[in-house]
Structure formats: C-alpha cells, structure tokens
Amino acid sequence: MKKVLLTFLVCVPVFFLGAQNCTPDPAFQDSTGVFPMPYDATVSPEGGITECAVIGESYEFSFTVGVGDSLTIDIQGNELRLELEKITITNVSGLPTGMAVVYEPQSGVYPANSIGCAKLTGIPTSANAPGDYDLIISATISFASPFIPDQNVTFPDATFAPGKYTLKLLADAGDFCDAVSTKESLIDGVSMKINPNPTAGPANIEIASKASGSFNLNVVDFLGKSVHQETVWINEGQNYIDFDGSFIPNGLYILVLENELGRIAQKMTIQH
C-alpha cells in the first residue's frame, strides 16, 4: 500500500456517539486514503473540509476511509513493505465545543483491507469563538508481525500527510461561508483593490502580483451564490481589470481571485 494511506489519519477524530454511524462512499472501495484528502496546494488542491459550521446549528461532514493491507515506507531510499493489522484513532484536538465524530466501524478501529467512514457532527456551542479550527489527530498503527512494535503517530505530518483539515466556524448562518479560505492564500504574492467601492456598476480592479498566471475571478453573494465569473490573465506587476457590476442587484458581495495556489477575497458593495 502506498504512502497515501497515512493521509486518512488526518481527519478522523476520536469521539464515539453510541449507535450513530455513517456510510462510506462505495466509489472509493478500491482506493487507499481518505476522501476528500487534506488540503495541500500541490498534492490535493481540491481537498479539505468544504462546508462551514455555524454556532448553534447542526453540522455534518463525512469522510470515506480506505485501508489497504500494508504500508510502504522509505528508509534511506529503500522501500520497505510492512503488513498492517489495524489503525486505531486515540486522540484528537481542535474540534469546537459541541462537535464530535461518529465512525463506521463504530469502534474507531480500521482493520486492514476495509473501507469505513468518519462523520463530523454536532452543534457548536456559543462557548466557541468564530474562526478556523485545525484538527490534530493521534493514532496507533498496529502491524501484522509480532516483531514490529505499534507506532504512535500524530498528524498532519509534513512528510507523510501534508496539508490540513480546517473547520471554519461562523457566528451566524447569514455570514459568508468561504470554506476554502482555510486553504493557503495568495496574500504573500498577490493583492487586490477595487475602485470605487461602493460602486454604482463600473469599477476598476487593481491587482499587484509577484508572478504571472491564469486566475478565476468570481463574484459571490453572502449566501455563497456566484453572480459573475470569468477567467483573467494576471501579469507580474500591476494589473488593471475593468469590471461592470451594473447588472448585479444592490448589496454586499465578495470578489474572489483564485488559482491552484489559493485565493484572496475583497468585499464589494453594489449601490446603483
């Protein structure tokens, strides 16, 4: 089994809630890892937790977990294949108060050659501050050979499981849910301004970039619905993009500029 097996450790918290469980996606029956995978700009730019939680409201987000029969590790350039017995989740930190997880199997033990799942669930309480919650997972890997001791591991791990699972917690359901804002942003390399703002329609988007490339420009309302989308080419240095929002109803919007490295966002008000 490939190293990607270890990525499944990054997302399965330790709590167990009685008879509740979840259903793994059969589409991943022959796959190894957890789906979606943790977000990483290079390995899995489409991964991560893609749904926001809201304080005081019920929340669910499921992962499918596939476990093979062995683990292949690299030792000084040589690959060593170790047969697995099971992997057991032992601890988790980072979940908001009121949140827990349910498993299938319900024990939280994933034997070799199996498919299972884990579901984040619960109602975040008002004791939580809105913001981003990164999950840190501890687990024990048990091998089939009695001569190989159990290994205690903590993830995310820069070598075996790069990236992160971040749960974005909102104060109110009306707040803008930009779950992928938990990803690495472009803030160190790209900046964006809108003039004028508020605008009656016509506006100029000024973008300063340290590199050239193709970007997606998206305008979304505070319910997360896209009202305008286009692809733009950004050159290194200063860029100016003409934007006409005269067809967009009055209101507060988010202008999002993104590519495979992440995204930046700017609030924009349309006031005809």
Side-chain angles (χ1 to χ4, degrees), residues 113-183:
N113 294 310
S114 70
I115 185 173
C117 60
K119 180 172 68 176
L120 299 177
T121 185
I123 301 177
T125 72
S126 58
N128 300 289
D132 295 342
Y133 290 76
D134 292 335
L135 304 184
I136 304 297
I137 310 301
S138 297
T140 298
I141 303 176
S142 301
F143 299 95
S145 172
F147 302 105
I148 303 176
D150 290 351
Q151 298 294 312
N152 296 320
V153 293
T154 302
F155 291 87
D157 179 88
T159 301
F160 297 107
K164 59 183 178 179
Y165 284 108
T166 304
L167 175 63
K168 190 176 186 68
L169 181 61
L170 306 179
D172 185 86
D175 293 344
F176 176 61
C177 175
D178 182 13
V180 287
S181 69
T182 60
K183 301 178 179 181

Side-chain angles (χ1 to χ4, degrees), residues 15-226:
F15 302 103
F16 169 57
L17 298 181
Q20 292 179 305
N21 56 14
C22 55
T23 303
D25 187 342
F28 299 107
Q29 179 67 52
D30 299 322
S31 302
T32 297
V34 80
F35 306 93
M37 296 176 67
Y39 171 76
D40 181 84
T42 301
V43 178
S44 53
E46 299 304 318
I49 298 175
T50 56
E51 298 178 15
C52 297
V54 179
I55 292 175
E57 296 196 5
S58 179
Y59 178 83
E60 290 187 354
F61 186 86
S62 294
F63 300 92
T64 293
V65 180
V67 182
D69 61 357
S70 63
L71 175 66
T72 300
I73 63 175
D74 188 289
I75 301 178
Q76 296 181 345
N78 298 313
E79 289 192 345
L80 178 63
R81 180 178 176 274
L82 303 175
E83 292 188 0
L84 288 170
E85 177 190 356
K86 62 184 178 181
I87 301 180
T88 306
I89 306 303
T90 58
N91 191 31
V92 63
S93 63
L95 285 171
T97 301
M99 295 290 297
V101 92
V102 294
Y103 304 113
E104 184 60 46
Q106 294 184 9
S107 62
V109 177
Y110 296 84
N113 294 310
S114 70
I115 185 173
C117 60
K119 180 172 68 176
L120 299 177
T121 185
I123 301 177
T125 72
S126 58
N128 300 289
D132 295 342
Y133 290 76
D134 292 335
L135 304 184
I136 304 297
I137 310 301
S138 297
T140 298
I141 303 176
S142 301
F143 299 95
S145 172
F147 302 105
I148 303 176
D150 290 351
Q151 298 294 312
N152 296 320
V153 293
T154 302
F155 291 87
D157 179 88
T159 301
F160 297 107
K164 59 183 178 179
Y165 284 108
T166 304
L167 175 63
K168 190 176 186 68
L169 181 61
L170 306 179
D172 185 86
D175 293 344
F176 176 61
C177 175
D178 182 13
V180 287
S181 69
T182 60
K183 301 178 179 181
E184 296 173 10
S185 72
L186 300 177
I187 194 168
D188 292 332
V190 181
S191 63
M192 177 171 59
K193 294 191 297 184
I194 307 167
N195 294 300
N197 190 14
T199 175
N204 184 269
I205 304 171
E206 181 180 352
I207 299 171
S209 176
K210 294 181 179 179
S212 300
S214 180
F215 289 77
N216 182 59
L217 187 66
N218 195 18
V219 180
V220 296
D221 63 21
F222 267 63
L223 295 177
K225 180 181 178 182
S226 176

